[in-house]
Amino acid sequence: MEKGTLIIGGGVIGLSIGWRLRARGEPVTLLERGETGREASWAAAGMLAPVSEVHFQEDVNLRLGQESLRLYPEFVAELEAFTGKEVGYRREGGISVSLHADDTAELRHRFEYQQALDLPVEWLSATEVQNLAPALSHNVVAAVYSPADHQVDNRKLVTVLRCAFVQAGGILHEQTPVEEVRLLEDGPPAVRAGGREWRSEKLLLAAGSWSGMIPGLDGALRPWVRPVKGQILAVRAAPDLIRHNIRTPDVYIAPRADGRLVVGATVEEMGYNADLTVGGVFELLRGAWRAIPGVYEMPIHEIWCGFRPGSRDNAPILGETEIPGFFIATGHYRNGILNTPVTAKYMSELILAGTMPEILAPFSPARFSG
Ligand SMILES: Cc1cc2nc3c(=O)[nH]c(=O)nc-3n(C[C@H](O)[C@H](O)[C@H](O)COP(=O)(O)OP(=O)(O)OC[C@H]3O[C@@H](n4cnc5c(N)ncnc54)[C@H](O)[C@@H]3O)c2cc1C
């Protein structure tokens, strides 16, 4: 049996936990089916928006997201200083807009809920929105400004996390799909991959929406995660035409430093069907054009899709299973980029110290047993 932790899956979650474990001296080996960071972590828009995305009665998710947002600046500073590479972290805030009266009622309803939770939000009139973001449509009726909502270039983030993991001494095996997991009498399961069997003191499953598909994990050990497809696209605008995350009832628009506007995303229960559909792309383009009319003239840069890992209650699954030494970190659904620092910090603490941090308690895999 090898010392240390074996990780299955090299998205933002597996890589960031691996990096934090290495920083504390833990030997770590990571097995990745393809190339690291090319699945959901590549497909995302990179919005870090727990305030704008707050859903009624999802207070524990909000708390996790807020803690992660609090950790973000330090996480990014440490990552950038360690690797010498930047990840495109921006703090301009987010603007949720309404484009007609029905939208305004819904926006007001959410605004009151945000205020009741003491979240930093500000109601803006049409004129105030125009002053803040002049490229927005003159049809914008009102808006809510959330200064605390930030963004990151998730493709840079996952690429830099890979560098950090390897630079810190993590052992990475790409093109090494885990084909089976074998339960043992003592210790965490053994893993078959790359024509051999791997056994470590600790095993972490972080295979995104594929986490429940590895043969050998049955019953309570198998995390129930489904793929939730998102079609998403980018258009090319002048840099700084838009500086904030823009959210409408139909789409969101996340600006990148080079001027690209990422427009997302559909939410589809289609299994792993990766088709880009006329309807999906049409709705995204129409939604973007309604919010920013100038989109009509912009070149399309790229269209792609990805699979969000969604659990039964759409909240992450974080913690130790009923087998000591066997851990799970998946099910991050729409917020895996946001929740990377909080997952990395507290999961690495759990793996090293063996005690469940209080903030992770609501997300334990045990909540689905029985
Ligand atoms: C369209 C879209 C937009 C999104 N926008 C945002 C956003 O704005 N903000 C936000 O916070 N989140 C967003 N998300 C969600 C976020 O992308 C995910 O929650 C997050 O990337 C999940 O990370 P992960 O590491 O768990 O999964 P992944 O990135 O999917 O990584 C899992 C890895 O495991 C590997 N793997 C799978 N099976 C095996 C196996 N058998 N053996 C070895 N390796 C295996 C895969 O190849 C993959 O590299 C978005 C997602 C999508 C699809």
Side-chain angles (χ1 to χ4, degrees), residues 277-288:
T277 64
V278 173
V281 172
F282 174 73
E283 293 298 337
L284 294 176
L285 288 173
R286 184 173 62 173

Side-chain angles (χ1 to χ4, degrees), residues 184-251:
L184 302 170
E185 291 286 312
D186 56 329
V191 155
R192 193 159 55 77
R196 57 162 280 202
E197 191 166 88
W198 308 70
R199 272 193 78 182
S200 273
E201 289 170 328
K202 286 159 255 169
L203 177 66
L204 168 69
L205 176 59
S209 65
W210 295 270
S211 297
M213 294 180 64
I214 300 177
L217 287 178
D218 295 316
L221 285 179
R222 176 172 169 254
W224 197 98
V225 196
R226 70 194 196 285
V228 183
K229 176 180 173 183
Q231 300 187 53
I232 177 165
L233 57 86
V235 296
R236 283 201 304 276
D240 287 339
L241 180 82
I242 296 286
R243 295 177 56 80
H244 306 84
N245 290 330
I246 306 295
R247 185 176 297 273
T248 79
D250 305 319
V251 294

Side-chain angles (χ1 to χ4, degrees), residues 15 18-19 22 28 30 161-172:
L15 285 169
W19 176 50
R22 273 308 302 147
V28 186
L30 190 152
L161 277 171
R162 180 191 188 282
C163 288
F165 175 70
V166 173
Q167 202 176 308
I171 298 170
L172 176 61

Side-chain angles (χ1 to χ4, degrees), residues 5-22 28-32 36-37 41 75 158 161-162 164-166 170-172 203-208 211 309 318 327-332 336-337 339-341 343-345 347-348 351:
T5 302
L6 181 65
I7 299 180
I8 306 174
V12 279
I13 299 304
L15 285 169
S16 62
I17 298 172
W19 176 50
R20 295 330 287 158
L21 287 173
R22 273 308 302 147
V28 186
T29 300
L30 190 152
L31 306 177
E32 162 56 46
T36 53
S41 303
F75 179 81
V158 74
L161 277 171
R162 180 191 188 282
F165 175 70
V166 173
I171 298 170
L172 176 61
L203 177 66
L204 168 69
L205 176 59
S211 297
L318 302 171
F327 301 86
I328 296 181
T330 188
H332 290 77
I337 307 299
N339 285 328
T340 293
T343 303
K345 176 175 164 51
M347 279 301 300
S348 59
I351 291 168

Side-chain angles (χ1 to χ4, degrees), residues 73-227:
E74 198 186 321
F75 179 81
V76 166
E78 205 179 322
L79 188 59
E80 292 186 339
F82 185 60
T83 58
K85 299 178 197 310
E86 59 91 29
V87 299
Y89 177 55
R90 299 176 61 170
R91 308 186 196 205
E92 279 90 348
I95 308 176
S96 300
V97 303
S98 75
L99 290 148
H100 55 69
D102 279 357
D103 293 353
T104 309
E106 162 66 23
L107 194 67
R108 173 72 69 183
H109 190 46
R110 185 182 297 260
F111 176 66
E112 282 163 7
Y113 183 59
Q114 289 163 326
Q115 280 190 313
L117 293 172
D118 230 1
L119 299 174
V121 280
E122 200 181 317
W123 187 265
L124 301 180
S125 68
T127 315
E128 287 167 328
V129 189
Q130 283 300 323
N131 290 340
L132 197 59
L136 283 175
S137 166
H138 290 281
N139 293 331
V140 169
V141 182
V144 172
Y145 175 51
S146 318
D149 284 348
H150 299 162
Q151 49 185 301
V152 70
D153 185 329
N154 46 287
R155 293 184 181 180
K156 286 186 178 171
L157 176 70
V158 74
T159 307
V160 176
L161 277 171
R162 180 191 188 282
C163 288
F165 175 70
V166 173
Q167 202 176 308
I171 298 170
L172 176 61
H173 294 270
E174 292 181 308
Q175 313 301 338
T176 310
V178 170
E179 289 151 7
E180 194 177 1
V181 158
R182 190 167 64 83
L183 301 188
L184 302 170
E185 291 286 312
D186 56 329
V191 155
R192 193 159 55 77
R196 57 162 280 202
E197 191 166 88
W198 308 70
R199 272 193 78 182
S200 273
E201 289 170 328
K202 286 159 255 169
L203 177 66
L204 168 69
L205 176 59
S209 65
W210 295 270
S211 297
M213 294 180 64
I214 300 177
L217 287 178
D218 295 316
L221 285 179
R222 176 172 169 254
W224 197 98
V225 196
R226 70 194 196 285

